[in-house]
C-alpha cells in the first residue's frame, strides 16, 4: 500500500509539473513550437510503429477476385441486459478502467455495445452514435435513462465522414447548423436556433469542462466522441463563457484502450495532403498504465480560390487506472494557418441579399492571412473512498495566440460590389479551470439516490491590439486583387477583458422500480465577475459582479425497457451586456440573462434501430438600445419539434439523421414593428438524412450518401433581408480490405456533389456565409 501510494503521488506530481511546463510555453514562436512538435511526433511515432508492429498474417476467404477483405461484424444486441440498479452516472465513473483484451485487433469483431476505450459509452448498433453521453454534473448517462435530448457521435462515424473538424462531424445533426463559412478560421454553431461559440472565450467543453479545448476550432485527430446536449444546461455544465444557451458541445478525447497503431494518409481538393498517426498502448501487470499519442500534419490548397491552409496537431493522453485511484493527463497543441481565409458578409441596410456566387470564389485578398496557435492541458483524478463514495478533482487550462490580417466584406449594392477594411488583430487568451466534488450512492427505503456535488472556478483573460489598413473594393461575382498591404503589427497587447465564473452545484437522481422511474433534481449557484477595458488602451471601463441561481428538473418514465418518456425544465445563464458608449447609461452592466427551457419527448429503442421525438420551448432575454438607453427589453423565443433516427434498418443498411421544425419569434423588442418577426438566423426547417449500404455482392465495399436541407433565414430583425433555403447532396464510398495482413480502409467522399451555390447560414449579429463548393476527399487508413 505504501509503494502504491508513492507511485500515485509521483505520477500526480509528474502530471502537474508536465502540465505547468506545457501551459507555460511562450506565445512568441508558438507556431514554430507546434510545428516542430508535430514533425518530431510524427517521425518518432513512425519509428515506433515500424519497430513494434510486424505484419500479422491473416487467412481470409472470399468468393471474388478482389483482395481478401476484413469486414467488421454487424453490431448486435443479442440479449438485452437486465436493468442495472445503479446507472452509469454513479460514483464509480464510467472512465474507470475496463478489462483490456490481449486479442489481436483484427480478431475484434464483437458487438458494438463494447466500448472502444475505457470510460467511453458503448456505441449503438451501426457504430455511428453512442448509447449515451455526458450530462455535465450527472456524468455519463444512458440515452434511455436521460431526461434530455443528446447525441454522441463516435470516432468511427467521424473517420468515415473524413471530418477534419467538429463542424464537419456535426453535419448530420438536424438540431445543429454551422454558422461560419467553409475555409474560415472559426467553428461556430446555431443549436435549437441559438448561437454557440460566437466569441473569443471558447465554448467547447472538454471532458465536461470549459476552458480546456482549443478556442476556435476542434480538430478531430484527438477526438473519441463529439457529444451534443441540446438546450440550456447552466445547472449541469455551468455558464457558457460566451453565454451560449442553445446547447453544449462536449469533446471526449482519445485515450488508451486496446493496443493500436494506425496511420491515415489523406487528400482533399484542390491539392491538400495530410498524414495522421494514432498510437495507443497499455502497460503494467494489470494494464493499469495507458498512453495514447496522436499527431497530424496537413498542408496545401483548398477548393476555394487563392486559399491554402496548414495545420499541425499533436496530442498526448496518459492515464493510470488503479483499483481505487484513477488519473488522466491530456496535452494538446495545434496550429492553424490560413492564406486568404474565407470571411462572412454583411449586407447594406435596405437591400435584398444578392444571389449566392460560386462557392469557389474568394473575396479575401491573397495577402490576407490568419495564424492561430492553441495549447491545452487537463489533469483529472478520482478516488473511491468506498464502493458508494468517490472524490474527484480536475485542474487545467489553455492558451491561444491569434495574429490575423483581413477585413469583413460588406455588400453595398445588388450588383455584388463589396467594401472591406483589413485589420490587424493580435489576441492572446489565457483560460484556467478548477473543479472538485463528490459523487455518492445510497438508498432511502425503496428509493435509490445518485448524488453529485461540485464546486468550480473558471477564469479567462483576453489581451488585444487592433490596427487598421486601407479600404479595399471587390465584387462577389468577379473578385479583384488589390495592391498588397502589410499588417501594422504591434507586439504590446493591452488587456481587453477578464472574468471569473464560480459555481456550486448539487444534483440528485432518484430512482425506483429498478430505474423504471427516475427523477433528477438539481440547482447551481453561479457567480459572475467580469472587467472590461478600453480597446487598445487597457484602462478599466466597467466592472461586473453578479450571481444567479439556476435549477434543473428532469423526469424519465420507462414503462418498458425500450420505451422512455421524458420531460425537463432547465435554465441557461448568460452574463448581462454592458451599455455601449452611444447609450445614456454608458458602462451600466445588466443583470445576467436567464434562458428557460421546457421540453418533453419519447425515445424508442428497437434493439438495432432507435428514434427520439421531442418538443421544446426556449426563451431568452437580451439587451437593446431604445430611446438612447440600453436595457434588457428584447426577448427571443424558439419553439421546436425534433425527430432523430439512428441505427440499422437491416444488418447492411444504416441510417442517421432527422428533422427539426423551428418556430422562432421576437416576443419582445423596443421596435414595435418587429414584434412577432423571426429572429436572425433561425430557419423554419432543418432536415438531414444519411445512409450507408454494405454491398452484398462485394465484401468490404460500402456506399454512403447524405442530404442536408435548411429553410429560409433572415439576416435582419425586420425580416426584409432573407436568404433562400438550400439543399446539399453528399456521396461517398469506402472499401475495407487486408493488405499484407493489415486492415486497410480506403475512403472517398464528395461533398456538394451537384455544385450548388448557396448562402449557408447566418450568425446572430447578421453576418452570413457562403456554402461549401464541390469538394473531393480521399484517404487510406492502415492498422499496423
Amino acid at each position: 500500500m505504501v509503494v502504491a501510494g508513492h507511485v500515485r503521488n509521483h505520477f500526480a506530481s509528474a502530471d502537474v509539473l508536465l502540465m505547468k511546463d506545457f501551459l507555460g510555453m511562450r506565445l512568441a514562436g508558438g507556431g514554430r513550437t507546434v510545428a516542430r512538435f508535430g514533425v518530431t511526433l510524427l517521425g518518432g511515432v513512425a519509428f515506433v510503429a515500424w519497430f513494434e508492429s510486424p505484419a500479422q498474417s491473416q487467412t481470409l476467404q472470399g468468393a471474388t477476385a478482389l483482395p481478401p477483405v476484413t469486414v467488421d461484424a454487424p453490431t448486435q444486441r443479442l440479449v438485452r441486459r437486465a436493468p442495472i440498479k445503479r446507472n452509469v452516472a454513479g460514483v464509480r465513473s464510467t472512465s474507470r478502467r475496463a478489462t483490456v483484451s490481449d486479442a489481436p485487433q483484427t480478431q475484434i469483431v464483437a458487438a458494438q455495445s463494447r466500448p472502444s476505450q475505457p470510460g467511453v459509452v458503448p456505441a449503438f448498433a451501426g457504430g455511428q452514435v453512442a448509447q449515451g453521453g455526458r450530462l455535465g454534473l450527472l456524468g455519463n448517462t444512458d440515452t434511455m435513462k436521460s431526461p434530455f435530448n443528446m447525441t454522441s457521435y463516435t470516432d468511427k462515424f467521424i473517420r468515415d465522414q473524413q471530418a477534419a473538424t467538429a463542424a464537419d462531424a456535426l453535419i448530420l445533426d438536424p438540431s445543429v447548423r454551422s454558422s461560419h463559412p467553409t475555409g474560415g478560421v472559426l467553428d461556430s454553431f446555431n443549436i435549437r436556433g441559438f448561437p454557440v461559440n460566437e466569441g473569443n472565450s471558447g465554448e467547447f467543453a472538454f471532458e465536461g469542462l470549459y476552458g480546456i479545448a482549443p478556442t476556435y476550432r476542434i480538430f478531430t485527430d484527438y477526438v473519441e466522441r463529439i457529444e451534443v446536449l441540446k438546450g440550456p444546461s447552466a445547472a449541469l455544465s455551468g455558464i457558457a463563457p460566451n453565454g451560449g444557451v442553445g446547447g453544449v458541445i462536449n469533446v471526449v478525447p482519445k485515450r488508451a484502450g486496446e493496443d493500436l497503431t494506425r496511420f491515415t494518409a489523406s487528400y482533399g481538393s484542390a491539392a491538400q495532403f495530410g498524414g495522421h498517426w494514432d498510437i495507443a498502448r497499455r502497460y503494467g501487470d494489470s494494464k493499469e498504465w495507458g498512453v495514447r499519442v496522436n499527431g497530424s500534419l496537413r498542408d496545401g490548397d483548398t477548393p476555394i480560390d487563392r486559399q491554402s491552409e496548414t495545420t499541425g496537431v499533436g496530442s498526448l493522453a496518459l492515464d493510470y487506472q488503479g483499483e481505487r485511484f484513477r488519473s488522466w493527463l491530456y496535452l494538446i497543441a495545434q496550429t492553424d494557418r490560413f492564406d486568404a481565409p474565407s470571411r462572412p458578409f454583411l449586407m447594406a441596410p435596405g437591400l435584398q441579399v444578392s444571389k449566392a456566387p460560386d462557392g469557389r470564389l474568394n473575396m479575401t485578398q491573397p495577402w490576407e492571412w490568419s495564424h492561430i496557435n492553441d495549447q491545452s492541458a487537463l489533469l483529472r483524478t478520482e478516488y473511491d473512498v468506498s464502493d458508494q463514495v468517490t472524490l474527484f478533482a480536475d485542474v487545467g487550462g489553455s492558451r491561444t495566440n491569434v495574429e490575423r490580417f483581413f477585413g469583413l466584406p460588406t455588400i453595398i449594392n445588388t450588383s455584388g460590389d463589396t467594401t472591406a477594411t483589413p485589420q490587424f488583430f493580435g489576441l492572446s487568451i489565457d483560460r484556467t479551470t478548477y473543479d472538485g466534488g463528490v459523487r455518492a450512492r445510497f438508498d432511502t427505503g425503496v428509493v435509490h439516490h445518485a448524488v453529485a456535488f461540485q464546486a468550480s472556478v473558471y477564469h479567462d483573460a483576453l489581451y488585444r491590439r487592433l490596427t487598421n489598413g486601407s479600404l479595399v473594393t471587390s465584387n462577389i461575382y468577379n473578385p479583384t486583387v488589390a495592391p498588397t498591404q502589410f499588417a501594422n503589427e504591434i507586439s504590446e497587447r493591452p488587456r481587453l477583458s477578464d472574468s471569473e465564473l464560480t459555481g456550486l452545484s448539487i444534483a440528485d437522481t432518484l430512482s425506483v422500480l429498478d430505474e423504471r422511474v427516475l427523477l433528477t433534481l438539481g440547482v447551481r449557484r453561479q457567480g459572475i465577475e467580469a472587467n472590461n477595458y478600453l480597446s487598445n488602451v487597457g484602462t478599466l471601463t466597467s466592472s461586473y459582479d453578479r450571481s444567479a441561481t439556476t435549477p434543473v428538473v428532469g423526469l424519465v418514465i420507462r414503462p418498458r425497457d425500450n420505451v422512455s418518456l421524458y420531460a425537463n425544465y432547465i435554465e441557461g445563464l448568460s452574463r448581462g451586456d454592458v451599455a455601449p458608449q452611444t447609450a445614456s447609461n454608458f458602462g451600466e452592466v445588466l443583470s445576467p440573462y436567464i434562458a428557460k427551457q421546457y421540453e418533453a419527448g419519447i425515445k424508442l429503442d428497437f434493439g438495432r434501430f432507435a428514434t427520439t421525438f421531442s418538443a421544446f420551448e426556449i426563451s431568452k432575454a437580451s439587451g437593446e438600445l431604445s430611446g438612447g438607453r440600453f436595457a434588457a427589453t428584447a426577448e427571443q423565443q424558439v419553439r421546436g419539434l425534433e425527430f432523430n433516427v439512428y441505427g440499422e434498418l437491416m444488418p447492411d443498411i444504416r441510417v442517421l439523421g432527422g428533422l427539426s421544425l423551428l418556430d422562432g419569434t421576437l416576443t419582445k423588442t423596443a421596435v414595435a414593428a418587429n414584434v412577432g418577426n423571426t429572429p436572425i438566423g433561425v430557419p423554419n426547417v432543418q432536415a438531414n438524412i444519411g445512409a450507408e449500404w454494405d454491398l452484398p455482392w462485394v465484401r468490404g465495399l460500402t456506399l454512403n450518401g447524405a442530404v442536408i436541407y435548411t429553410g429560409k433565414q433572415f439576416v435582419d430583425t425586420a425580416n426584409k433581408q432573407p436568404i433562400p433555403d438550400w439543399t446539399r447532396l453528399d456521396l461517398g464510398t469506402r472499401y475495407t480490405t487486408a493488405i499484407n495482413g493489415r486492415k486497410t480502409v480506403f475512403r472517398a467522399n464528395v461533398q456538394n456533389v451537384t455544385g450548388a451555390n448557396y448562402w449557408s447560414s447566418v450568425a446572430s449579429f447578421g453576418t452570413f456565409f457562403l456554402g461549401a463548393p464541390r469538394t473531393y476527399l480521399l484517404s487510406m487508413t492502415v492498422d499496423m
Side-chain angles (χ1 to χ4, degrees), residues 19-321:
M19 182 175 65
K20 182 178 179 180
D21 291 343
F22 183 80
L23 285 176
M25 294 169 64
R26 295 178 58 188
L27 288 175
R32 294 189 297 274
T33 301
V34 174
R36 292 168 184 162
F37 175 74
V39 172
T40 303
L41 179 64
L42 285 176
V45 168
F47 175 77
V48 170
W50 174 82
F51 185 80
E52 286 197 357
S53 303
Q56 298 179 7
S57 62
Q58 298 182 18
T59 302
L60 300 172
Q61 298 180 0
T64 70
L66 292 171
V69 297
T70 301
V71 184
D72 293 337
T75 302
Q76 298 196 25
R77 290 181 168 183
L78 298 179
V79 179
R80 183 173 296 278
R81 298 187 299 271
I84 301 171
K85 293 188 178 181
R86 300 191 304 172
N87 68 34
V88 291
V91 55
R92 289 186 179 271
S93 167
T94 55
S95 50
R96 183 167 182 154
R97 174 173 55 90
T99 302
V100 179
S101 171
D102 292 326
Q105 185 175 1
T106 53
Q107 298 176 9
I108 302 297
V109 291
Q112 289 176 359
S113 60
R114 179 177 184 173
S116 60
Q117 67 179 32
V120 173
V121 177
F124 189 75
Q128 297 179 315
V129 300
Q131 297 178 26
R134 188 182 186 100
L135 299 180
L137 176 65
L138 302 180
N140 284 336
T141 305
D142 186 279
T143 297
M144 301 300 287
K145 300 175 184 177
S146 167
F148 302 97
N149 188 342
M150 167 182 272
T151 307
S152 178
Y153 298 93
T154 67
D155 172 55
K156 179 182 184 301
F157 171 75
I158 293 169
R159 284 185 283 115
D160 288 342
Q161 291 291 113
Q162 301 191 70
T165 68
D168 299 330
L170 299 179
I171 190 66
L172 288 183
D173 194 311
S175 303
V176 180
R177 283 296 181 267
S178 173
S179 60
H180 205 75
T182 300
V185 300
L186 168 70
D187 281 351
S188 59
F189 304 88
N190 284 327
I191 304 179
R192 287 188 169 179
F194 290 87
V196 172
N197 207 49
E198 285 188 356
N200 292 314
S201 293
E203 286 188 329
F204 293 106
F206 188 92
E207 286 281 80
L209 300 171
Y210 291 120
I212 308 298
T215 302
Y216 297 106
R217 302 179 83 192
I218 297 296
F219 290 105
T220 58
D221 306 74
Y222 45 83
V223 173
E224 181 69 23
R225 297 276 194 274
I226 295 181
E227 302 173 337
V228 183
L229 172 61
K230 285 77 181 277
S233 63
L236 301 179
S237 304
I239 181 173
N242 292 318
V245 299
V248 176
I249 300 174
N250 181 53
V251 176
V252 180
K254 292 178 179 177
R255 46 186 176 261
E258 296 174 356
D259 286 357
L260 172 70
T261 303
R262 175 176 291 158
F263 176 72
T264 299
S266 61
Y267 166 82
S269 58
Q272 190 167 60
F273 297 88
H276 173 214
W277 279 102
D278 184 0
I279 292 182
R281 295 288 186 271
R282 297 210 70 85
Y283 303 97
D285 295 338
S286 301
K287 302 293 185 181
E288 63 269 25
W289 301 91
V291 180
R292 186 85 178 251
V293 180
N294 278 266
S296 70
L297 291 173
R298 300 181 184 90
D299 181 63
D301 296 334
T302 75
I304 299 171
D305 289 350
R306 304 194 302 267
Q307 184 181 98
S308 63
E309 182 184 15
T310 301
T311 65
V313 178
S315 69
L316 173 66
L318 305 174
D319 70 273
Y320 171 79
Q321 306 291 296

Side-chain angles (χ1 to χ4, degrees), residues 327-454:
S327 184
W328 302 262
L329 174 67
Y330 304 103
L331 301 176
I332 299 172
Q334 69 180 43
T335 184
D336 190 15
R337 294 173 175 256
F338 270 105
D339 289 330
S342 299
R343 300 293 295 139
F345 294 87
L346 283 170
M347 195 72 205
L351 298 176
Q352 291 296 301
V353 177
S354 304
K355 181 180 178 181
D358 189 327
R360 294 172 297 181
L361 298 178
N362 193 358
M363 300 303 104
T364 307
Q365 296 295 318
W367 38 264
E368 293 180 300
W369 50 270
S370 170
H371 298 164
I372 301 177
N373 300 313
D374 289 278
Q375 297 144 11
S376 305
L378 172 64
L379 173 64
R380 298 185 57 219
T381 58
E382 291 182 348
Y383 179 72
D384 296 335
V385 178
S386 67
D387 289 343
Q388 288 76 38
V389 179
T390 291
L391 303 177
F392 64 91
D394 308 311
V395 57
S398 65
R399 175 171 292 176
T400 300
N401 183 59
V402 181
E403 293 181 347
R404 65 194 194 201
F405 184 58
F406 51 57
L408 177 65
T410 298
I411 302 175
I412 59 175
N413 56 42
T414 55
S415 299
D417 292 329
T418 65
T419 61
T421 301
Q423 183 181 65
F424 172 74
F425 182 99
L427 179 70
S428 302
I429 308 167
D430 293 327
R431 300 179 295 166
T432 55
T433 188
Y434 311 88
D435 85 315
V438 60
R439 302 185 186 98
R441 292 180 174 278
F442 57 90
D443 295 328
T444 56
V446 298
V447 180
H448 180 72
H449 298 262
V451 178
F453 171 80
Q454 179 191 48

